[in-house]
Amino acid sequence: MDKKYNEFSRLSLTDFANEILKFWNQEKIFEKSVSEKDGHQPFVFYEGPPSANGMPGIHHVISRTLKDLVCRYKTMQGFQVKRKGGWDTHGLPVELGVEKSLGISKEDIGKKISVEEYNATCRREVLKFKDKWDDLTRKMGYWVDLEHPYITFENNYIETLWWALKKLYDKGYLYKSVSIQPYSPAAGTGLSSHELNQPGTYKDVKDTSIVAIFTVRRNEKSEFLFKNVKGNVSFIAWTTTPWTLPSNLGLTVGEKIEYSLVETLNPYTHEPVNVVLATQLIPRYFKPEGENLEFNSDQAKKIIPWKNIQSFGGKQLEGISYEQLMPSEANTMEKIKESDPEADPFKVILGDFVTTEDGTGIVHTAPAFGADDFKVGKQNHLGLLVLVDKKGKFIDGVGEFSGRYVKDYRDEKNYQDVNVDISVMLKKEGKAFKIEKFEHNYPHCWRTDKPVIYYPLDAWFIKTTAVKDRMIELNKTINWKPESTGTGRFGNWLENMVDWNLSRSRFWGTPLPIWQTEDGEEKICIGSINDLKTEIRKSVEKGFMELPAEYKGQTEKFIEQLTSDLHKPFVDTIILVSPSGKPMKRVPALVDVWFDSGSMPYAQWHYPFENKEIFKQNFPADFICEGVDQTRGWFYTLHALAVLLFDSVAYKNVVSNGLVLDKNGNKMSKRVGNVIDPFKTLDEFGPDATRWYLITNASPWDSLRFDTEGIKEVQRKFFGTLYNTYQFFALYANVDGFFNQEKSIPVNERPELDRWILSALNSLEKEVTENLDNYEPTPAARAIDSFVNDQLSNWYVRLCRRRFWKPARKENGVENASDVKDKISAYQTLLECLVQVSKLMAPVAPFFADWLFRNLNAVVKVDTKQSVHLTDFPKADPKIIDKELEKRMELAQDVSSLILSLRKKVNIKVRQPLQKVLIPSLGDEFENRLKPVVHIIQSETNIKEVEVLPVNNDFIKKKAKANYKTLGKRLGAGMKWAASTIQNLSGEQIDRASDSKLLLNPEYDKKGEEAIYITSEDLEVSTEEIPGYEIAVKGSLTVALDLELTPDLKNEGFSRELVNRVQNLRKEKNLEVTDKIVLIIEDKGLTKNIISDYNDYICAEILARQIDFVPSLTNGEQIEVNNDVLTVQIKKIS
RNA sequence: AGAUCCGUAGCUCAGCCUGGUUAGAGCACUACACUGAUAAUGUAGGGGUCAGCAGUUCAAAUCUGCUCGGGUCUACCA
């Protein structure tokens, strides 16, 4: 064997990672990890496409670590896991980025810059940071196919989207309707919720608000309101947007809210009025001292008098009619009927959105200008009035207000607030109950800073509500991590689902493939490029489309060219022929980018135009994983489209990871400057430590406080320890020439310690597998962590150290066979642990795992694979797991720990041997457990003998505590009494209970109680005292140490000290571990005898051929052993 | 406003599902020890109203309800 294990001068996770990365690239390990699994069962993973026009952040590292570790794990388990990367390329963020870099605004599109040029820039810019992303992907070790990603702007991708849209259209799921959307009159454009959520859009503003008076029409329904009052009855309703009052068509009340009829005076005109409002809100408008005040009294001039006439539920008000508040030419019944022939406005309706927090509990309802208003308006056939145009000004026919802007949209110098004027007018007419400035939070257009209004706009919808029940049903079959996201956040979302507003009025996006005639009577939805070509041919034939000069006579070439990019503005130049022969133009809408990403299961394969078989095998996904913010984003659109198109789930398991916060728990934001640069982090700490930290620190779905100190800790504790363990192994294995050439020693022939660590290892394999199968990587990685640190390094290696460097005894020049076997067993065991750990940790820390695996495997050849990622994931062998053995070792650890703490307490160092430790038996099981590990305790704590005290001895004083679990169930309320009684039991009573049973309340008869017998299982017995010994206790386990130091023990301690000092000298002199020496000591008389007595032991330990005593030593070195100073010299024998 | 997650030592987190004795670990801190794994390691110590309140129970960090604080998503409403 010429090859040795690599030894390293220091741990550099980044260097190791770079080296392994190079190896992966050269040997195409990722590609092999997929191709080697050809024919295996696939495990389907979908990559949620990031947008490459922004820089990646640290939060991308966590979700990608999760994705990667699951995929690597499944690969090692034998599945074939293809991972196609993808890019989300459409949408507003891209447009904004382009506008910023070009220094233009939306208005300039089509003027300063053509749509063609604009979109070309988008296409170019959107992958601006692709290189950075790819770089991060590689550096963090995220294995995903970067060479063949799907890109949402590509024609093939769009063609699949069109296919899907057509399918929805044919099923009747794609329809056009009006919806109320945020709209910026100043910018002349609708705003998406994303735009509305830009920072700073919601501002506190003061607006003129008015409580208006709506006069009730007296009829059968309203008659009950007129009982006991004189004159008119009115509803009062509040609004912060008086400009919507001319468009009022209804009043909404809450079914469960109680309302009252109040007799009072109009505060402005002082005419008597009777008003209806929510009972709860009376104090908001009326002073308590005004209640039941005489209407004509003097006081009534200062304090408005009022009287609650009667109260009733909101339900009773339903259907009552009232007089139109501000009639004008533009809002006559005729006009209203135009919007809905069945319109029946000016009545009270019920709505569940009504609250009693603001206003009067009666909501002024103008269906055109509020989403809720629109909804109830439609349900109740209120009709629709849009008295404000898209510029934000009143249309003609609204009397004196026509032509006036409802808000100051044009920065007019002398802008008169029309809301004030409306209020003043109503006040004069006696139709105002209260007018005041009201400060509230109102959205503003992020671009123009002007207030947004809600406005009815044409929109295309997908009828998701049609399959709502099916979506809920199928959702129940999805395994959500954490479960609460699926049932809670997502489940609720599904329960309250509304139709999906698909259309966006933008430039860079997937065009909606619907063409329609000018009157909207005839429509066609295009589902493929071929269909489009066919239709264009018809159109060219018909003469609706003319060939440009350069294509004269080359219709096909022209069509080919025209359909080579399905984006605007090209698609919009296409005019098609309707069945009746009329021209049709494309509707202006683009589709929501979420449709792009939600369609990726099929669009990434250009299904159904290509890859039908591939798609079939890769749908639905076994696993997806994204941030929890995608719940109503990608997770939803994937699910909705899968149900709509295929009546299937899109994914079977989904992990939603939480947010990454900074170390103070604040959201990371560029503005605050607390963002973590993932590149810097990876460079500084290496990908393995970063990944390990992210996974072990908190469950993926908990939000994570990111602190680089934590990564340092991981580096030092976990990787440092594992690295040291490897180094230890490599060092001695090289010295001993252990290269795994020997036959594997059967596990049952190995020593206790070896069998124990192998049992623990297999238990670990079981635990890790169970957790990873469950998509719980955090406990899995933590278990590996604790195995490596606590069991392998801190116990196994520490206890076995001697086995590795102690040479086998020689008898007649031949090494003792059992010594050799013991040593090989130790090497084989440690090797097995290291190799298996490298496999177990491979999904989480792929670089280091491979580094470890390859360093070992290069020499020991336990596996034919060249990378750990091509090997099989360890499967626990139940035959090797011995829980009893693990318990035994735990006992040894506990006993040793107790003894060490006692030594500490009395200040006797471990090197000083002690004669005896006493351990009171806790029964047969305990003794059987203890016996096999006695020698471990002895060597670990340097104690000559371990004596077990029999169960019933008179020697130790015991005390007992109640076992609450067993007794509590039986005794219930008597538990307290029993606990204190048990605490006071004598040792003799405790023994009796342990042997058979003890009557706890001998006087039960007298007191008329039930007899209470307790047995050993009801007691937790512990040792209180062992006379003459120092004791230490953990639970019911007790150890007592014999502290007597006999001369023999002292001498042995002395010799051990000496060995220790000489070892230090060897190290100081930079001697090799294997160098032989001669030790020369200046003869000081006393110590000579001790040293001579232990000559053999000392020589063996320090690798000395002999110890020479000389009368005086001039060039020696002084060492202190216990309280003696010795002058010594060590000489290397060459 | 609704939904959801989180709140345990100075920090990061276990424990909670399935209630039970003195609530654990690591880091940090302090002291001592160890020194052929050594940028390691061991032992000990200080440090907790388990966010608060109420309920269920013999018994609550654990189960229930409410409140408070933080995060996220959705909505933005007269």
Side-chain angles (χ1 to χ4, degrees):
Chain A
M1 176 62 56
D2 51 350
K3 190 144 187 195
K4 289 195 159 197
Y5 301 95
N6 289 320
E7 292 178 53
F8 296 82
S9 55
R10 76 192 185 96
L11 168 65
S12 169
L13 288 172
T14 38
D15 289 351
F16 293 174
N18 289 335
E19 187 192 302
I20 292 295
L21 187 57
K22 223 159 80 194
F23 158 72
W24 288 349
N25 288 337
Q26 272 167 9
E27 297 295 323
K28 301 209 175 309
I29 301 298
F30 172 44
E31 289 79 354
K32 282 181 190 167
S33 80
V34 178
S35 64
E36 282 188 3
K37 298 284 171 8
D38 272 344
H40 287 228
Q41 196 185 340
F43 179 83
V44 182
F45 164 74
Y46 291 160
E47 163 77 337
S51 178
N53 78 314
M55 283 284 277
I58 194 76
H59 52 288
H60 294 108
V61 177
I62 180 159
S63 58
R64 304 177 123 216
T65 298
L66 285 163
K67 295 175 187 180
D68 188 54
L69 81 87
V70 170
C71 291
R72 284 182 192 262
Y73 170 65
K74 292 291 174 182
T75 299
M76 289 176 77
Q77 279 198 321
F79 295 92
Q80 185 177 43
V81 189
K82 291 183 178 158
R83 301 91 129 169
K84 201 173 173 69
W87 296 108
D88 195 16
T89 57
H90 283 144
L92 190 71
V94 186
E95 294 193 3
L96 291 180
V98 164
E99 281 155 39
K100 206 171 150 195
S101 71
L102 293 180
I104 59 166
S105 71
K106 279 262 178 322
E107 288 94 280
D108 298 327
I109 304 165
K111 293 172 196 158
K112 285 190 191 164
I113 180 173
S114 69
V115 174
E116 182 174 353
E117 223 177 302
Y118 177 82
N119 272 358
T121 315
C122 286
R123 182 188 284 261
R124 222 173 27 243
E125 288 283 298
V126 65
L127 296 176
K128 189 162 59 176
F129 294 114
K130 180 175 178 292
D131 289 349
K132 283 275 172 198
W133 278 87
D134 286 355
D135 189 34
L136 180 81
T137 304
R138 293 195 182 96
K139 279 197 174 129
M140 66 167 287
Y142 178 35
W143 274 359
V144 65
D145 185 355
L146 297 172
E147 307 306 320
H148 315 93
Y150 62 93
I151 298 173
T152 58
F153 70 55
E154 289 182 342
N155 249 29
N156 280 351
Y157 198 94
I158 294 175
E159 189 178 23
T160 298
L161 300 180
W162 280 16
W163 163 83
L165 287 164
K166 171 87 153 82
K167 221 171 156 196
L168 295 172
Y169 180 86
D170 289 346
K171 287 188 178 184
Y173 288 155
L174 187 58
Y175 68 95
K176 185 180 151 185
S177 177
V178 165
S179 85
I180 308 300
Q181 295 167 43
Y183 174 80
S184 170
T189 172
L191 298 173
S192 68
S193 59
H194 175 263
E195 287 167 295
L196 226 50
N197 279 325
Q198 299 262 323
T201 48
Y202 279 86
K203 293 182 196 177
D204 283 325
V205 287
K206 270 190 177 172
D207 277 324
T208 303
S209 77
I210 177 169
V211 176
I213 298 177
F214 296 83
T215 310
V216 174
R217 279 192 192 143
R218 191 164 183 167
N219 58 26
E220 243 174 68
K221 265 194 182 145
S222 63
E223 193 55 38
F224 75 97
L225 290 171
F226 290 85
K227 241 184 350 188
N228 306 326
V229 295
K230 276 176 268 173
N232 285 334
V233 173
S234 304
F235 296 115
I236 55 174
W238 179 64
T239 179
T240 54
T241 51
W243 60 267
T244 59
L245 287 170
S247 305
N248 172 280
L249 291 166
L251 292 172
T252 311
V253 298
E255 186 172 355
K256 289 181 184 132
I257 298 171
E258 187 194 63
Y259 293 86
S260 289
L261 175 65
V262 174
E263 181 184 9
T264 185
L265 298 176
N266 181 314
Y268 299 112
T269 64
H270 278 261
E271 296 291 324
V273 284
N274 304 296
V275 296
V276 174
L277 76 163
T279 313
Q280 242 192 316
L281 289 164
I282 291 177
R284 181 103 33 115
Y285 297 92
F286 303 101
K287 294 191 171 155
E289 50 279 32
E291 186 165 16
N292 298 327
L293 207 64
E294 260 321 302
F295 276 59
N296 296 323
S297 66
D298 285 345
Q299 275 174 293
K301 281 171 189 156
K302 285 182 208 146
I303 300 165
I304 303 284
W306 63 278
K307 189 179 172 190
N308 188 344
I309 304 295
Q310 58 164 316
S311 298
F312 33 83
K315 178 88 178 150
Q316 279 196 61
L317 298 173
E318 189 182 8
I320 294 180
S321 300
Y322 62 89
E323 305 288 345
Q324 187 172 13
L325 187 73
M326 297 178 69
S328 65
E329 292 163 38
N331 59 14
T332 57
M333 264 318 277
E334 244 183 350
K335 297 273 183 192
I336 297 168
K337 291 270 188 199
E338 279 175 19
S339 67
D340 180 356
E342 293 172 53
D344 176 22
F346 312 123
K347 61 183 180 190
V348 176
I349 57 175
L350 300 177
D352 53 12
F353 58 91
V354 180
T355 68
T356 51
E357 302 213 340
D358 289 310
T360 63
I362 301 176
V363 175
H364 145 61
T365 304
F369 304 119
D372 285 335
D373 303 39
F374 183 79
K375 206 172 92 193
V376 290
K378 205 167 179 187
Q379 281 163 5
N380 294 283
H381 287 292
L382 294 182
L384 191 76
L385 277 175
V386 190
L387 302 187
V388 174
D389 67 13
K390 284 197 170 179
K391 295 243 161 67
K393 63 179 196 303
F394 279 111
I395 60 170
D396 290 343
V398 196
E400 57 183 285
F401 303 114
S402 287
R404 293 185 59 181
Y405 287 85
V406 302
K407 290 274 156 93
D408 182 15
Y409 285 121
R410 341 196 77 203
D411 288 320
E412 290 170 63
K413 259 185 221 152
N414 301 315
Y415 176 76
Q416 255 314 101
D417 190 350
V418 73
N419 296 291
V420 175
D421 292 349
I422 289 172
S423 304
V424 168
M425 190 189 92
L426 290 172
K427 185 161 129 187
K428 278 186 196 153
E429 292 176 355
K431 290 177 177 168
F433 194 76
K434 193 173 188 181
I435 297 168
E436 62 179 353
K437 290 278 184 189
F438 181 78
E439 190 173 328
H440 62 155
N441 201 251
Y442 197 81
H444 288 68
C445 170
W446 57 275
R447 198 138 31 84
T448 62
D449 256 356
K450 295 292 182 192
V452 159
I453 62 175
Y454 290 82
Y455 200 86
L457 298 173
D458 272 352
W460 289 83
F461 289 86
I462 294 180
K463 205 180 231 158
T464 44
T465 48
V467 292
K468 174 178 161 180
D469 293 341
R470 186 68 180 142
M471 280 176 75
I472 291 169
E473 199 182 321
L474 284 171
N475 180 43
K476 287 180 183 151
T477 69
I478 297 172
N479 177 29
W480 280 85
K481 281 285 169 179
E483 198 196 334
S484 59
T485 301
T487 52
R489 188 178 284 200
F490 196 67
N492 278 311
W493 173 246
L494 293 182
E495 294 287 346
N496 301 314
M497 181 195 302
V498 292
D499 282 347
W500 180 359
N501 184 350
L502 195 66
S503 48
R504 297 289 182 271
S505 44
R506 278 194 239 293
F507 299 92
W508 177 240
T510 302
L512 194 61
I514 294 175
W515 273 259
Q516 62 179 10
T517 52
E518 194 153 13
D519 56 14
E521 291 293 314
E522 295 172 78
K523 293 199 223 5
I524 179 173
C525 181
I526 299 293
S528 71
I529 293 176
N530 263 338
D531 288 356
L532 182 63
K533 285 179 177 169
T534 310
E535 294 301 320
I536 295 174
R537 274 183 212 112
K538 283 191 211 160
S539 178
V540 171
E541 223 164 84
K542 183 97 179 168
F544 287 161
M545 287 180 73
E546 265 183 51
L547 301 188
E550 66 267 32
Y551 287 102
K552 278 281 177 276
Q554 305 181 69
T555 312
E556 281 311 311
K557 200 173 164 195
F558 168 68
I559 292 175
E560 198 56 47
Q561 172 62 28
L562 190 56
T563 54
S564 64
D565 181 356
L566 299 177
H567 284 97
K568 276 163 90 80
F570 314 110
V571 275
D572 289 339
T573 65
I574 298 172
I575 296 167
L576 302 181
V577 189
S578 78
S580 71
K582 287 189 212 151
M584 297 191 294
K585 284 191 171 168
R586 197 185 70 82
V587 301
L590 300 184
V591 305
D592 186 359
V593 287
W594 290 111
F595 190 88
D596 290 6
S597 51
S599 305
M600 62 70 68
Y602 8 101
Q604 68 172 335
W605 299 114
H606 193 209
Y607 176 87
F609 307 101
E610 292 178 70
N611 302 320
K612 279 193 172 168
E613 210 36 53
I614 294 183
F615 167 69
K616 234 181 173 171
Q617 285 162 7
N618 288 280
F619 183 86
D622 287 298
F623 166 67
I624 61 171
C625 165
E626 301 291 330
V628 67
D629 52 323
Q630 293 297 332
T631 307
R632 284 149 189 191
W634 196 52
F635 294 159
Y636 174 69
T637 55
L638 274 177
H639 186 60
L641 290 173
V643 175
L644 283 163
L645 295 168
F646 298 97
D647 189 36
S648 160
V649 295
Y651 42 87
K652 296 177 191 162
N653 299 285
V654 49
V655 174
S656 74
N657 60 277
L659 272 253
V660 182
L661 310 171
D662 75 2
K663 63 177 174 184
N664 299 315
N666 298 313
K667 193 181 176 179
M668 288 187 189
S669 89
K670 276 188 191 139
R671 273 184 308 134
V672 185
N674 58 350
V675 277
I676 299 278
D677 178 358
F679 295 98
K680 237 178 96 188
T681 307
L682 290 177
D683 278 348
E684 198 173 339
F685 305 104
D688 293 307
T690 306
R691 290 169 61 129
W692 198 266
Y693 167 72
L694 290 171
I695 295 303
T696 51
N697 190 54
S699 280
W701 32 89
D702 287 340
S703 49
L704 172 84
R705 292 191 178 194
F706 190 89
D707 188 355
T708 49
E709 286 302 313
I711 308 184
K712 281 186 198 159
E713 191 182 321
V714 162
Q715 226 176 9
R716 206 175 58 235
K717 277 215 75 89
F718 178 69
F719 290 99
T721 307
L722 188 52
Y723 164 82
N724 276 337
T725 309
Y726 166 78
Q727 286 278 70
F728 174 86
F729 173 83
L731 175 70
Y732 288 109
N734 279 338
V735 169
D736 273 336
F738 173 78
F739 301 120
N740 204 30
Q741 309 272 290
E742 299 79 3
K743 221 176 119 195
S744 173
I745 297 171
V747 171
N748 58 16
E749 289 175 24
R750 298 192 197 188
E752 181 97 348
L753 262 171
D754 293 3
R755 278 186 286 122
W756 164 73
I757 193 73
L758 290 173
S759 170
L761 175 69
N762 280 274
S763 293
L764 174 72
E765 288 168 4
K766 190 161 167 255
E767 191 178 353
V768 169
T769 305
E770 278 167 4
N771 279 309
L772 288 182
D773 283 344
N774 233 349
Y775 297 93
E776 298 263 12
T778 305
R782 280 177 179 165
I784 298 171
D785 201 314
S786 113
F787 174 81
V788 167
N789 264 310
D790 304 339
Q791 325 250 62
L792 186 61
S793 167
N794 249 343
W795 192 251
Y796 181 75
V797 172
R798 197 153 55 82
L799 265 55
C800 290
R801 243 150 59 182
R802 292 185 68 85
R803 293 171 65 194
F804 290 97
W805 48 264
K806 201 177 82 184
R809 285 166 294 166
K810 284 196 177 162
E811 288 155 14
N812 309 323
V814 180
E815 289 184 325
N816 178 293
S818 83
D819 283 5
V820 172
K821 187 173 174 186
D822 179 69
K823 193 170 213 174
I824 288 171
S825 174
Y827 277 119
Q828 286 180 342
T829 304
L830 182 54
L831 172 66
E832 164 105 6
C833 289
L834 287 172
V835 170
Q836 296 302 78
V837 163
S838 81
K839 293 180 182 177
L840 289 170
M841 72 188 289
V844 182
F847 296 98
F848 188 87
D850 220 9
W851 173 89
L852 178 59
F853 174 80
R854 285 171 46 73
N855 274 316
L856 294 168
N857 201 42
V859 181
V860 301
K861 307 282 182 209
V862 289
D863 206 302
T864 54
K865 303 289 186 188
Q866 59 183 147
S867 161
V868 73
H869 301 289
L870 302 176
T871 65
D872 293 335
F873 202 76
K875 272 205 185 89
D877 181 351
K879 288 197 295 292
I880 296 178
I881 295 178
D882 182 347
K883 284 288 164 201
E884 185 52 38
L885 173 57
E886 290 182 37
K887 278 186 190 149
R888 267 204 304 272
M889 200 54 71
E890 205 185 324
L891 179 62
Q893 287 171 343
D894 286 344
V895 171
S896 300
S897 158
L898 287 173
I899 293 172
L900 290 174
S901 79
L902 277 173
R903 277 179 166 278
K904 167 72 203 155
K905 201 165 157 194
V906 296
N907 238 330
I908 298 175
K909 46 183 73 171
V910 180
R911 238 182 263 120
Q912 173 60 57
L914 287 171
Q915 189 56 41
K916 191 166 72 173
V917 62
L918 296 180
I919 304 178
S921 168
L922 299 172
D924 291 346
E925 193 189 23
F926 175 82
E927 287 179 39
N928 290 335
R929 220 171 249 174
L930 185 62
K931 242 173 242 161
V933 293
V934 159
H935 68 281
I936 291 172
I937 296 169
Q938 286 171 329
S939 68
E940 178 65 4
T941 59
N942 198 11
I943 305 273
K944 301 249 171 246
E945 96 193 65
V946 174
E947 186 183 328
V948 178
L949 288 173
V951 174
N952 290 328
N953 63 76
D954 308 330
F955 195 37
I956 61 177
K957 286 191 183 162
K958 291 178 192 164
K959 61 181 174 185
K961 271 185 197 161
N963 179 347
Y964 282 75
K965 210 163 189 168
T966 58
L967 282 172
K969 281 203 184 82
R970 252 158 55 205
L971 303 182
M975 189 60 220
K976 271 194 183 125
W977 173 85
S980 74
T981 309
I982 287 169
Q983 203 136 47
N984 294 322
L985 289 180
S986 69
E988 186 264 332
Q989 284 172 305
I990 293 169
D991 285 343
R992 194 136 40 92
S994 307
D995 287 345
S996 52
K997 56 184 182 180
L998 177 75
L999 180 59
L1000 206 56
N1001 52 346
E1003 303 189 336
Y1004 69 96
D1005 230 0
K1006 270 187 233 165
K1007 294 180 183 165
E1009 294 168 346
E1010 293 273 312
I1012 302 169
Y1013 288 99
I1014 56 169
T1015 62
S1016 58
E1017 70 154 5
D1018 299 321
L1019 293 181
E1020 311 249 335
V1021 183
S1022 60
T1023 308
E1024 195 165 37
E1025 200 188 324
I1026 301 179
Y1029 287 86
E1030 275 296 327
I1031 68 163
V1033 178
K1034 183 188 177 187
S1036 48
L1037 174 66
T1038 309
V1039 300
L1041 202 51
D1042 181 353
L1043 299 173
E1044 197 194 343
L1045 286 175
T1046 61
D1048 275 355
L1049 289 172
K1050 274 189 182 165
N1051 290 346
E1052 192 182 336
F1054 180 89
S1055 69
R1056 284 194 168 215
E1057 283 294 323
L1058 177 67
V1059 166
N1060 168 253
R1061 297 304 125 98
V1062 175
Q1063 300 287 33
N1064 287 348
L1065 270 184
R1066 287 182 57 116
K1067 201 178 175 191
E1068 259 171 53
K1069 304 245 176 245
N1070 287 325
L1071 292 189
E1072 288 298 319
V1073 178
T1074 46
D1075 289 338
K1076 299 265 195 301
I1077 58 165
V1078 169
L1079 177 66
I1080 305 164
I1081 304 178
E1082 193 178 86
D1083 186 0
K1084 281 275 194 64
L1086 263 179
T1087 53
K1088 186 177 177 182
N1089 289 338
I1090 305 173
I1091 295 170
S1092 303
D1093 284 351
Y1094 290 92
N1095 184 68
D1096 290 353
Y1097 160 75
I1098 296 169
C1099 286
E1101 290 296 314
I1102 64 175
L1103 294 188
R1105 184 191 291 162
Q1106 71 210 55
I1107 301 173
D1108 293 340
F1109 287 89
V1110 295
S1112 83
L1113 198 55
T1114 41
N1115 50 353
E1117 294 174 64
Q1118 304 230 311
I1119 54 174
E1120 203 183 310
V1121 181
N1122 287 349
N1123 294 320
D1124 298 307
V1125 177
L1126 297 181
T1127 309
V1128 302
Q1129 191 184 22
I1130 56 178
K1131 267 192 188 160
K1132 187 173 150 187
I1133 309 170
S1134 42

